[in-house]
Amino acid sequence: MSIRFIEQTKTFKLDSKTSTYMFGIFEGNYLVHYYYGAPIPDEDVTELRFRPNFASFCPDSPTAMVQNFSPDVTPLEYSTFGTGDFRLSAFAVENSDGNKVTDLRYVSHKIYKGKEPIPGMPSLYLNNEDEADTLEIVTEDKATGVRATLIYTVFNDYGAITRRVKVENPTDKPFYIDTIHSACVDFPGKDYEMLDLYGRWVKERALERYPLHRGIQSIKSKRGSSSHNHNPFTAIISKGTTEDYGDCYGFNLVYSSNFSIDVEVDAFASTRLVMGINPDGFKWYLEPGEEFYSPEAVMVYTNQGLGEMSRIFHRLYGNNLIRGQWKKAKRPLLINNWEGTGMDFDHDKLVSFAHHAKDIGLEMLVMDDGWFGKRDDDKSSLGDWKVAEYKLQKGLSGLIKEVNNCGLKFGIWFEPEMISPDSDIYREHPDWCLHTEGRDKSIARTQYVIDYSRKEVREHIYGMMHDILSSNNIDYVKWDFNRNLTEVSCAQLPKERQGEVFHRFVLGTYESMDRLTKDFPHILLENCSGGGGRFDPGMLYYSPQIWTSDNTDPIERLTIQFGTSLCYPTSTMGAHVSASRRAGYETKMNVALWGSFGYELDPDKLTAEEKAEITAQIALYHKYYDVIHYGDLYRLITPFEDAFRVAWEHVSEDKNEALVTVVQMRHPYDEFFMLKLKGLDPEKVYVEQESGKKYSGAYLMNAGLNLTYKPNGDGASFRIHLIAE
Ligand code: GLA
């Protein structure tokens, strides 16, 4: 068992492959946090609770009148509001008397093999029960009877722990859940740096790294999606941490709506992180007998730097988050018509697309936005999911038949949660969009958001999608989401439940995605939100890949893909070669190969030479598929540290194959260029496939390759392919 309760010291010990996590039951049944870090043996760690000597302004606890204990300075396992801990609160309930004073104390616990799913929500799953153990701790607020169960799962093969909280109302009075974080971790000291992923449309997930300061630092979303602007990921790292060295605590929330991650360094120089649903705009009314589940938090620890932290996330998500028949299967090589045609296409254009695509070796045509209603631009028809026969003159099945006849699979685009004011569905049901009585409705991209918290509304949309998917031979769906939520309220819900709408909305989305993946298990679902505006583990539970960004310029893509790779595996990043002009096809391919590869251009417009080049690229795509998709990623030179060139490497699990890619973004000052590789077997001899030269793994990792005379120039790139003898 990776989880044990040590009776003598009343300590819980959670041992993962690379970490130990310890907390215990203290006087007065407080749950006190002791330790999270590299593995340590079983020993008494209770003195780790001592933080600074507190001052007279730190309240004593009447039920734990022991020396040096105050809820205000003690590291607490799950902090609550209003009873002496003035730092960040992980949990607060507004009780039936109208105050928010909350105090959770230990009641009981159980430890078992395996892991339960969260009803109606995405969460990590097990392939077999032996992969993980779970600890459930029931806590209670005596004065109100509110119950919260803290649930921890330890993954035996990874340095990963997941956490979530279940709240129950066993009383006879309703209450509001005001704040519910999924994870709360107290760190000793303040000498850490915080790392997060920020961005905007076409510039997603750049890396921000900064020393913690006294006070609170936060990343959040209030957009009704995880958003382009901040990702529900952060790492707390020791100062000076590199790709290869240093303590890294990675946190990621399996949630696709409003999240918040707060980190507070208090005046006594202790640090607390809380991560969960953003309390801003959230308030959940819990009637007697009801229960509520928080989303799942994933925590990864390693003392081997950011690279290893990422690889733990990648392996964990590849095995225990991504599901369905496409989990490990080779994904079809697709061409998407969006950048090639926009909405200006018809039957013949797409059939011609398909013929050209087949000629160059592609496997699937994805018809993007513009095939339904009267959709010629982004001003109409969202919600009218009926084929635009003035464009697809032989209907959808006529088109798919011809595409299939030329040997390609077929994929289709939807934006199910959206509605255009100029649509039949809106004219019929103007109340179906999110709106607040008496206020203007904000509009974005000429569209409103459908109230997915309402069952009958999402049933209707799903029904239309189901009709199309069940009566046609469709292998792929791109599920888009092109604006954020405003005027969030729901006419169907009573006033005490208006604080639930954001969360109910995302539960509605999850329910529809779940239905789609169950009704059509063969369909490859790719998520998208104006590119990567909903790139989070919640979405990855339903769709094994997500369109990483609308920006397909290969040089711009570098920061986006490097940033995304901090937490998310290669196979999850949709990456396409487009007609963007900044670099040649060689570099476009080299960058797009680092992801779920495809094309996004008009093949009719390619010259004969370009077609031949792309055909050659496709052969390389097949050749490198396994090492890229199933191998381990090493970031060798990142664009966040080097303004001139970047390099990354994929190494197969057995260390017999490695593919290194180098891209020169602009001409560097230093012409001399040595590159040390990583993750190889020092004992093995590797053959460089182009030159036939042989190098030991030890040489490649310690001396490095001398790449001074390799192709250079702005936007140039090359690959080094190594196979062990
Ligand atoms: C979003 C997506 C694009 C494309 C368009 C269609 O911006 O990110 O890939 O599907 O919508 O409107």
Side-chain angles (χ1 to χ4, degrees), residues 476-507:
Y476 163 108
V477 165
K478 179 173 168 185
W479 182 307
D480 214 334
F481 180 81
N482 279 320
R483 63 159 288 183
N484 291 133
L485 278 51
T486 54
E487 292 83 37
V488 175
S489 62
C490 175
Q492 242 70 40
L493 290 173
K495 104 171 182 297
E496 61 274 16
R497 292 204 178 270
Q498 293 300 323
E500 301 177 6
V501 184
F502 275 111
H503 187 64
R504 285 179 181 270
F505 182 100
V506 78
L507 293 182

Side-chain angles (χ1 to χ4, degrees), residues 201 204 228 336 338-339 343 368-370 375 378 382 413-415 445 447 478 480-482 528-532 547 549-550 600:
W201 177 66
E204 294 90 341
H228 297 86
N336 177 305
W338 177 246
E339 287 198 27
M343 297 183 206
D368 210 282
D369 192 356
R375 182 94 164 157
D378 62 15
L382 291 170
W413 180 97
F414 285 99
E415 198 177 356
R445 212 194 186 209
Q447 64 198 53
K478 179 173 168 185
D480 214 334
F481 180 81
N482 279 320
C528 175
S529 171
W547 182 225
S549 176
D550 277 346
E600 181 124 358

Side-chain angles (χ1 to χ4, degrees), residues 92-95 174-178 283-286 495-496:
V93 153
E94 185 183 313
N95 58 43
F175 59 80
Y176 289 103
I177 304 170
D178 176 87
K283 207 171 177 187
W284 194 276
Y285 190 65
L286 209 67
K495 104 171 182 297
E496 61 274 16

